[in-house]
Amino acid sequence: MLAYLQLLRPGNVILAAFAVFVGAFVAVGRDIGNSIYRDDLEIAILCSMMLVGGGNALNDYNDRETDRKNHPNRPLPSGRISEKNAILYAKSLLLIGLVILVSKIPDNAIPFGIALGGVILLIMYENSMKAEGLPGNIIVGLLSGAVFLYAGSVVENSEKTMWIFGLAVLATIAREIVKDIQDLEGDTDRNTLPSRIGIERALNVGGVFLFIAIALSYGAYSKFTGDGQIRYLVFVTLANIMMLYGIYSAKNGEYFKGQKTIKQGMGIAILAFILGIEL
């Protein structure tokens, strides 16, 4: 049983559940505890955990050959789970998660539509787009942002979560480009952006995505009121400074530091949205 739990990557599953809760809180504030939202939100969180866990299991199944060398202790290469059981486990989680979502929230088809679209993108990524550089980066960005769009749709208020979605997509694409540069020497079987156009040009492309994200972040200012606007402005500016420092670090050859700093900046940007809510 422990091997099946490890295949889910529990840390990622818990993070997904937390992200759905945060997205819903940003959307409706303190009304999140209202009974009209609570039941649907609990179902949505459960389904998000199943879908993310199924996606992680599918990822491990597709990476089973390379993991024999790079991660031999993982459930599949170590032989604790058979390949047949792993792919069945992944497919079952994805299917059951979608079925529960559509059956338990029948009056609101948008969360199901977003979840189904996410599963389709995930399968595309795992089967072909992972090796295609920028298109794969864009899919990762869309999947990262979709959790907030999903959360807003569950509580039927996506006004603020649309902004988080846009910021998460753009900043994640920038970070994925920096990660591709970091892994350039080992990614001989992937057609990444830096391998096609060079490191400097790839960083310029990543910088463009990041600058658009920063511009969008200030557009969301008007969605908050009172002291919440000030708190949002302070923390989103701090987030933007960190992300700019991340791309600056990458420009100076510190790729690991750069992508990590961009990720930290994204976390602070999400915190800005939380602190912008008036309680």
Side-chain angles (χ1 to χ4, degrees):
M1 289 299 294
L2 180 60
Y4 283 95
L5 183 63
Q6 290 175 337
L7 202 61
L8 298 178
R9 297 182 201 163
N12 288 355
V13 170
I14 293 169
L15 187 61
F18 179 70
V20 174
F21 179 83
V22 166
F25 174 75
V26 169
V28 297
R30 61 185 176 185
D31 290 340
I32 194 172
N34 194 306
S35 60
I36 64 172
Y37 300 127
R38 189 172 56 242
D39 292 346
D40 285 356
L41 184 58
E42 288 173 355
I43 293 296
I45 288 174
L46 172 64
C47 292
S48 72
M49 295 172 74
M50 296 182 73
L51 295 172
V52 169
N56 288 334
L58 180 62
N59 177 263
D60 272 19
Y61 174 80
N62 287 334
D63 289 348
R64 62 194 184 281
E65 295 302 328
T66 56
D67 282 349
R68 294 187 200 282
K69 178 180 179 180
N70 298 331
H71 304 283
N73 293 322
R74 284 184 175 176
L76 270 167
S78 66
R80 287 178 291 151
I81 298 178
S82 69
E83 293 180 7
K84 179 181 177 180
N85 286 345
I87 191 61
L88 179 62
Y89 185 49
K91 289 179 178 179
S92 297
L93 285 168
L94 293 172
L95 179 60
I96 295 171
L98 289 174
V99 169
I100 292 175
L101 192 60
V102 74
S103 61
K104 294 296 184 180
I105 312 181
D107 298 329
N108 182 1
I110 297 176
F112 173 76
I114 293 171
L116 179 61
V119 170
I120 292 170
L121 285 176
L122 172 68
I123 293 171
M124 287 174 57
Y125 179 77
E126 289 292 341
N127 289 343
S128 61
M129 303 306 290
K130 184 188 293 188
E132 294 303 317
L134 186 58
N137 299 151
I138 292 172
I139 288 179
V140 172
L142 288 169
L143 291 173
S144 298
V147 65
F148 300 106
L149 202 60
Y150 169 81
S153 72
V154 170
V155 296
E156 300 186 48
N157 190 336
S158 298
E159 185 178 11
K160 293 188 183 76
T161 55
M162 280 289 292
W163 290 91
I164 309 181
F165 167 75
L167 294 174
V169 170
L170 293 165
T172 299
I173 293 170
R175 179 172 178 257
E176 287 296 310
I177 291 172
V178 176
K179 285 176 65 180
D180 282 346
I181 296 170
Q182 176 189 328
D183 298 336
L184 188 58
E185 288 186 10
D187 280 344
T188 55
D189 59 339
R190 295 181 63 219
N191 189 27
T192 62
L193 188 66
S195 70
R196 294 205 316 269
I197 67 173
I199 292 175
E200 185 174 352
R201 287 183 178 178
L203 280 173
N204 289 339
V205 173
V208 169
F209 279 107
L210 197 59
F211 277 115
I212 296 172
I214 289 170
L216 277 179
S217 72
Y218 291 110
Y221 171 80
S222 63
K223 301 301 176 182
F224 301 94
T225 59
D227 291 341
Q229 284 187 322
I230 298 172
R231 292 192 296 270
Y232 173 79
L233 189 61
V234 168
F235 278 87
V236 86
T237 298
L238 176 60
N240 291 338
I241 290 171
M242 285 199 69
M243 289 190 288
L244 286 173
Y245 181 65
I247 207 76
Y248 171 80
S249 297
K251 285 272 191 180
N252 285 289
E254 298 179 281
Y255 307 122
F256 177 77
K257 179 181 178 181
Q259 59 96 352
K260 283 292 183 183
T261 305
I262 292 172
K263 183 179 182 179
Q264 291 164 358
M266 291 165 62
I268 296 175
I270 293 169
L271 179 62
F273 277 87
I274 297 172
L275 294 177
I277 303 300
E278 291 287 347
L279 298 178

